[in-house]
């Protein structure tokens, strides 16, 4: 299932405070970039994930955000450097933008 135009518009509105963004469709979802750096994903099921590296990993864990993991058949789960955006940020562009700015500072 691919992301809808409405889902793409919503996620770009959430992060509009960052300035110009670019995107790339991949695997039915969308990668979101600022100045050529990927910082968020819109998954094919509509979930929005934000990238965390360095101290942002600890911050996202402390916030209780769920980390994205996946498992291939017969393999152990793999934790990716992305966390689910908190529900509160899905309706608050200021919160989403603040989290994205902090994440980008550590990428």
């Amino acid at each position: 299932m691919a992301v809808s135009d409405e889902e793409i518009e919503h996620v770009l509105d959430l992060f509009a405070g960052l300035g110009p963004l670019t995107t790339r469709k991949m695997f039915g979802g969308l990668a979101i970039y600022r100045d050529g750096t990927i910082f968020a994903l819109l998954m094919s099921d509509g979930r929005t994930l934000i990238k965390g590296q360095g101290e942002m990993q600890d911050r996202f864990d402390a916030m209780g955000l769920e980390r994205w993991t996946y498992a291939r058949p017969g393999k152990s789960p793999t934790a990716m450097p992305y966390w689910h955006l908190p529900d509160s940020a899905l309706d608050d562009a200021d919160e989403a933008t603040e989290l994205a700015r902090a994440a980008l500072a550590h990428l």
Side-chain angles (χ1 to χ4, degrees):
M1 178 169 125
V3 294
S4 69
D5 291 340
E6 292 80 19
E7 290 170 318
I8 293 170
E9 182 178 344
H10 176 72
V11 79
L12 292 177
D13 285 346
L14 279 179
F15 297 123
L18 295 172
L21 302 174
T22 55
T23 62
R24 180 175 175 218
K25 289 187 177 182
M26 51 190 350
F27 308 112
L30 190 76
I32 306 160
Y33 299 82
R34 173 71 174 118
D35 293 330
T37 300
I38 187 171
F39 71 92
L41 300 172
L42 176 58
M43 304 299 282
S44 62
D45 61 6
R47 294 175 297 154
T48 301
L49 307 177
I50 191 161
K51 191 169 188 178
Q53 290 184 320
E55 64 189 61
M56 289 309 294
Q57 292 178 321
D58 294 334
R59 179 175 173 187
F60 291 157
D61 285 339
M63 291 174 65
L65 302 184
E66 180 185 349
R67 191 167 185 175
W68 175 37
T69 61
Y70 75 93
R72 292 188 174 142
K75 303 270 184 171
S76 297
T78 300
M80 301 301 290
Y82 291 89
W83 282 256
H84 295 254
L85 201 62
D87 289 343
S88 59
L90 294 173
D91 295 320
D92 184 344
D94 291 335
E95 181 181 359
T97 297
E98 187 277 324
L99 288 171
R101 273 196 184 102
L104 279 162
H106 294 90
L107 297 179

